[in-house]
Amino acid sequence: MRISVNYQDNVLYLRLSGELDEHSATYARREADRLAEGYAGSDSAVFDLRDVSFMDSTGIGFLIGRYKKFRQFGVPTYLTNPTQSTDKILSMSGVYTLMPKI
């Protein structure tokens, strides 16, 4: 798992690459939480999922946890560019009710 960051117009973009599963979740959590704290004054945070090749329930937990972390700072979170398989998992799990797809 790799997280690339772009900050533009007071919006934090986090582009996730690789597998979002049990093996990568610890690193991804630590890095995303560090970014949430560092960009706490952002207007919003957008998780770009175009390069996520696999996601399981741990990945869903990761996203929900980051939603809660950003919410502590008053930063709304969104998802963009999910692959077809990731989109299906996120739709079925209800994640889009917390983190809308844009």
Side-chain angles (χ1 to χ4, degrees), residues 77-101:
T77 53
Y78 302 94
L79 302 173
T80 192
N81 300 318
T83 62
Q84 186 176 0
S85 60
T86 301
D87 185 56
K88 184 175 181 179
I89 290 167
L90 295 171
S91 293
M92 290 173 44
S93 68
V95 170
Y96 289 137
T97 61
L98 300 174
M99 303 171 78
K101 181 170 55 168

Side-chain angles (χ1 to χ4, degrees), residues 49-68:
L49 306 176
R50 79 180 75 209
D51 295 324
V52 174
S53 57
F54 175 80
M55 180 186 296
D56 62 10
S57 61
T58 306
I60 293 168
F62 163 81
L63 290 172
I64 292 171
R66 300 322 39 93
Y67 159 78
K68 291 178 180 179

Side-chain angles (χ1 to χ4, degrees), residues 6 13-14 18 23 39 48 50 67 84 100:
N6 184 18
Y13 296 91
L14 301 99
H23 300 292
Y39 292 89
D48 187 336
R50 79 180 75 209
Y67 159 78
Q84 186 176 0

Side-chain angles (χ1 to χ4, degrees), residues 7-13 43:
Y7 190 69
Q8 184 177 338
D9 298 327
N10 213 35
V11 177
L12 176 63
Y13 296 91
D43 290 338

